[in-house]
Amino acid sequence: MPEFSPTALIFIGHGSQDMEGVQEFFHLAHILQTRVPAKLYPCFLEFSEPPIAEAVRQCVEAGHRQIVVAPLFLGPAGHQKNDIPTLLNWAARALARGRISLRCAPWRSVRAASSAG
């Protein structure tokens, strides 16, 4: 990976109790990391570690000022419309105290990234 970038990418999966599914998500994140210039932080909404708040904390501690969030879900249902924004807003307030800017990647870009490989 090139020099430090002020921008980080939080890559959010749903999470699973099936470790094989979790490992496949981490494998996809590894492939994606080789294709994007920003540091990628994979995390999960539920069932798996690390949680979203941990990814935000890692970004803040690493000194990133801009965080692009890319949820990898099949469609924009309740988790993507409600749960993820709520968790991200809480984490940004509690952990970053206004030191970062969060924005979501366009859905089309997230779908394209999920098919990379």
Side-chain angles (χ1 to χ4, degrees), residues 56-90:
V56 173
R57 185 193 65 74
Q58 290 174 358
C59 290
V60 170
E61 285 187 0
H64 299 290
R65 303 286 301 184
Q66 176 82 19
I67 300 173
V68 177
V69 179
L72 180 62
F73 287 75
L74 295 177
H79 283 322
Q80 202 166 342
K81 291 179 181 177
N82 302 315
D83 302 334
I84 291 173
T86 298
L87 287 166
L88 287 169
N89 287 329
W90 174 86

Side-chain angles (χ1 to χ4, degrees), residues 23-86:
Q23 291 306 315
E24 286 186 23
F25 178 80
F26 282 124
H27 179 70
L28 177 60
H30 175 75
I31 291 169
L32 185 58
Q33 180 63 84
T34 66
R35 298 175 182 198
V36 297
K39 171 79 171 117
L40 188 140
Y41 294 84
C43 62
F44 298 97
L45 174 63
E46 58 188 0
F47 301 122
S48 304
E49 295 288 328
I52 293 170
E54 176 61 18
V56 173
R57 185 193 65 74
Q58 290 174 358
C59 290
V60 170
E61 285 187 0
H64 299 290
R65 303 286 301 184
Q66 176 82 19
I67 300 173
V68 177
V69 179
L72 180 62
F73 287 75
L74 295 177
H79 283 322
Q80 202 166 342
K81 291 179 181 177
N82 302 315
D83 302 334
I84 291 173
T86 298

